Amino acid sequence: MFTIDCRAISPLSFDAVIAAIAARYAGTHVVEWDWYAERRAREVAVCERIGMPIPNPPLESLDRVWAEKGVQRGFGVPIREGLNLYARLDKTGGYFFCRSGEFSEHDVAPLIDILKQFGLSLQYCSNSGARG
């Protein structure tokens, strides 16, 4: 698997990044408007179903990260036929990856250009490790 890890030096306007990506890649769509809220709701439902007390350490950990990062969007980016990326972005940055298969830097060159326009520090990782 190949991933793109993005780090923001200052608070990122992630909705502006998503809009720029959507302008380049038709079909880009948000699948989770607030990933942490949706994750917390799922975790609370599991806790209630199994009788685990609330609050509990896993929920408290999730709450701490959510408080630090704020809203995080999960979205899909159709790069080309057969290559769809999943991404999550918040004010600190985020990541992009392919849920099945791999992709090359060449496949996503326009996406990388967009991310760089927003001043994101990028690192590319594959099964063999970080590549810069």
Side-chain angles (χ1 to χ4, degrees):
M1 179 187 313
F2 181 75
T3 63
I4 303 170
D5 185 50
C6 320
R7 295 288 167 230
I9 296 167
S10 58
L12 178 66
S13 174
F14 53 87
D15 282 328
V17 176
I18 295 168
I21 292 168
R24 170 59 177 86
Y25 295 100
T28 295
H29 62 287
V30 174
V31 294
E32 294 136 344
W33 288 95
D34 187 343
W35 187 87
Y36 287 107
E38 292 177 30
R39 169 77 183 265
R40 190 175 199 291
R42 287 191 307 269
E43 295 297 319
V44 166
V46 168
C47 291
E48 290 172 344
R49 190 170 51 251
I50 66 173
M52 187 175 199
I54 300 172
N56 59 56
L59 281 177
E60 290 169 350
S61 176
L62 178 64
D63 289 344
R64 279 191 303 274
V65 175
W66 186 11
E68 173 191 334
K69 297 191 179 274
V71 171
Q72 186 175 80
R73 302 265 191 259
F75 59 104
V77 183
I79 300 295
R80 60 170 163 69
E81 182 69 34
L83 178 57
N84 293 293
L85 302 184
Y86 172 76
R88 288 193 357 221
L89 287 178
D90 59 44
K91 67 182 179 183
T92 67
Y95 60 86
F96 293 76
F97 75 93
C98 184
R99 289 186 166 156
S100 63
E102 293 201 8
F103 60 95
S104 70
E105 291 175 49
H106 175 58
D107 289 326
V108 295
L111 174 63
I112 289 170
D113 290 342
I114 292 167
L115 299 174
K116 286 181 177 178
Q117 289 174 10
F118 286 89
L120 290 163
S121 171
L122 304 178
Q123 183 173 21
Y124 316 104
C125 299
S126 69
N127 288 335
S128 59
R131 296 194 317 205

